[in-house]
């Protein structure tokens, strides 16, 4: 989470994680942190390039190519990263939050319009990837974006995988139709399982088998040597994990800070595991692997990253299986 750590520290922690058995990195694309206490928000593409030099695993962002950044620019950034680190980079695309996207002063629409913009951006990026690989210019004229005749002049041999972020059944089905995979975030099993089913249905509609597409989970958790310290880390560093309502329309870290003061320990129940017991975390992660996820990116919400990486690399990762 680039909202929590300066870029050089984030890169060093990713390299440390790889030394302890982790095999890939997902990086957040924020213009602002969720709450002021987090204190950072570096530019994700710079950090990903540095990560590529310090690690050997997969790497990618979840970015929003619909407001702050035109889809063509995101396509260029992604293609360049994939050319630099062949076979390692994937591109995650989401519909965004006002916290980051309102800063350029555009109208912030309701969720259905944001989702439609996201899928048009996916189509435009895919068009650029395929056209550029074929050595031809492409153009686009849609309800939200225009692209005059052009191509990407720097391309990898194979276009990056496009994963679509979703938290709802309609978006999950469309992701199965339009994307190379799905990304979703921490939620109870009974909410996540239907998303995978809808994703599979969408893939079938497009003539594909969902088992051949990526299913990715971003799992927030709070671990510390004691349950009390783990809960303190959750409340202080990641109170948004306890919010029980949509947060896409909140525009300021200071607004989040005020709302987060209402979060209590019981609000994390069923939404984010808070525990000092590595075995409890291992069993929790395994349930999502058993559900059918191919990759799970773990985010320990506290500041105790090096300690957490060592403990999970030793006591959690070796016990997981697919």
């Amino acid at each position: 989470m680039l909202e929590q750590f300066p870029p050089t520290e984030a890169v060093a922690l990713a390299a440390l994680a790889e030394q302890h058995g982790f095999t890939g990195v997902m990086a957040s694309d924020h213009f602002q942190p969720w709450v002021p206490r987090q204190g950072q928000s570096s530019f994700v593409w710079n950090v990903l390039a540095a990560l590529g030099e310090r690690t050997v695993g997969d790497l990618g962002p979840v970015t929003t190519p619909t407001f702050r950044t035109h889809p063509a620019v995101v396509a260029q950034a992604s293609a360049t990263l994939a050319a630099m680190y062949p076979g390692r980079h994937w591109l995650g695309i989401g519909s965004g939050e006002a916290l980051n996207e309102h800063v350029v002063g555009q109208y912030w629409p309701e969720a259905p319009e944001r989702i439609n913009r996201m899928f048009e951006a996916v189509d435009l990026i895919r068009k650029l990837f395929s056209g550029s690989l074929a050595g031809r210019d492409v153009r686009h004229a849609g309800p939200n974006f225009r692209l005059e005749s052009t191509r990407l002049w720097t391309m990898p041999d194979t276009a990056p995988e496009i994963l679509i972020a979703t938290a709802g059944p309609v978006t999950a089905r469309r992701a199965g139709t339009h994307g190379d995979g799905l990304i979703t975030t921490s939620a109870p099993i009974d909410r996540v399982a239907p998303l995978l089913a809808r994703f599979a249905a969408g893939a079938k509609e497009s003539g594909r088998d969902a088992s051949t597409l990526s299913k990715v989970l971003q799992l927030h958790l709070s671990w510390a040597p004691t349950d009390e310290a783990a809960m303190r880390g959750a409340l202080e560093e990641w109170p948004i994990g306890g919010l029980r309502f949509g947060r896409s329309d909140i525009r300021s870290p200071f607004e989040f800070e005020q709302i987060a003061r209402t979060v209590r320990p019981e609000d994390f129940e069923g939404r984010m595991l808070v525990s000092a017991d590595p075995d409890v975390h291992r069993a929790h992660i395994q349930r999502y692997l058993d559900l059918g996820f191919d990759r799970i990116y773990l985010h320990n919400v506290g500041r105790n990253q090096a300690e957490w990486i060592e403990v999970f690399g030793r006591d959690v990762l070796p016990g997981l299986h697919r």
Side-chain angles (χ1 to χ4, degrees):
M1 286 296 165
L2 298 180
E3 306 93 295
Q4 291 180 280
F5 300 97
T8 52
E9 184 177 358
V11 171
L13 287 169
L16 178 67
E18 194 165 84
Q19 294 169 19
H20 285 273
F22 290 82
T23 58
V25 182
M26 174 187 291
S28 58
D29 178 16
H30 270 232
F31 197 86
Q32 304 187 93
W34 291 105
V35 293
R37 178 186 176 89
Q38 291 172 342
Q40 295 289 323
S41 209
S42 51
F43 189 56
V44 69
W45 295 105
N46 295 34
V47 178
L48 286 170
L51 281 167
E53 291 297 311
R54 292 287 304 276
T55 63
V56 299
D58 70 82
L59 63 161
V62 178
T63 189
T64 303
T66 50
F67 296 95
R68 273 182 299 149
T69 315
H70 191 279
V73 177
V74 171
Q76 184 188 27
S78 179
T80 300
L81 196 68
M84 293 172 68
Y85 307 111
R88 296 175 55 192
H89 166 59
W90 49 266
L91 175 62
I93 292 179
S95 58
E97 297 99 5
L99 176 70
N100 306 299
E101 308 308 323
H102 89 281
V103 298
V104 295
Q106 291 190 43
Y107 168 69
W108 181 246
E110 293 188 1
E113 182 177 339
R114 299 198 302 267
I115 291 168
N116 287 336
R117 288 176 68 98
M118 175 182 72
F119 280 106
E120 185 183 342
V122 169
D123 290 342
L124 192 158
I125 291 169
R126 191 178 297 284
K127 188 184 296 184
L128 261 176
F129 283 167
S130 60
S132 302
L133 284 171
R136 56 180 172 78
D137 286 359
V138 299
R139 62 176 65 86
H140 179 87
N144 300 292
F145 304 108
R146 292 185 62 85
L147 180 73
E148 295 191 351
S149 294
T150 191
R151 71 183 72 176
L152 298 171
W153 291 89
T154 296
M155 279 292 295
D157 292 336
T158 303
E161 180 184 44
I162 299 176
L163 309 178
I164 299 176
T166 179
V170 175
T171 310
R173 192 174 192 123
R174 292 179 69 181
T177 304
H178 291 262
D180 300 316
L182 166 146
I183 293 179
T184 192
T185 191
S186 302
I189 291 285
D190 60 357
R191 283 185 54 194
V192 174
L195 296 183
L196 294 180
R198 291 297 186 96
F199 176 72
K204 186 176 182 180
E205 288 175 4
S206 66
R208 298 181 298 169
D209 182 352
S211 66
T212 66
L213 305 177
S214 295
K215 293 167 285 292
V216 175
L217 178 69
Q218 179 193 66
L219 190 61
H220 304 290
L221 60 95
S222 186
W223 176 88
T226 67
D227 287 344
E228 293 76 16
M231 182 57 71
R232 185 165 59 251
L235 289 168
E236 293 178 357
E237 297 293 339
W238 205 254
I240 59 167
L243 296 181
R244 294 183 175 270
F245 54 84
R247 58 198 188 203
S248 296
D249 296 323
I250 301 173
R251 295 174 177 244
S252 166
F254 299 98
E255 291 177 37
F256 270 111
E257 183 180 43
Q258 295 299 317
I259 296 168
R261 290 176 179 173
T262 67
V263 173
R264 299 292 179 263
E266 56 269 23
D267 293 326
F268 293 105
E269 185 67 32
R271 302 179 65 82
M272 186 175 81
L273 181 58
V274 181
S275 174
D277 189 339
D279 286 337
V280 173
H281 284 283
R282 181 197 53 75
H284 184 62
I285 297 165
Q286 186 63 52
R287 281 193 287 272
Y288 289 98
L289 288 170
D290 292 343
L291 199 62
F293 284 101
D294 307 302
R295 304 200 301 274
I296 298 179
Y297 296 88
L298 304 180
H299 169 222
N300 181 44
V301 303
R303 298 278 172 171
N304 57 330
Q305 294 296 301
E307 181 183 34
W308 167 71
I309 286 167
E310 181 179 355
V311 169
F312 270 53
R314 183 187 66 229
D315 300 334
V316 175
L317 301 189
L320 298 172
H321 60 272
R322 282 188 295 213

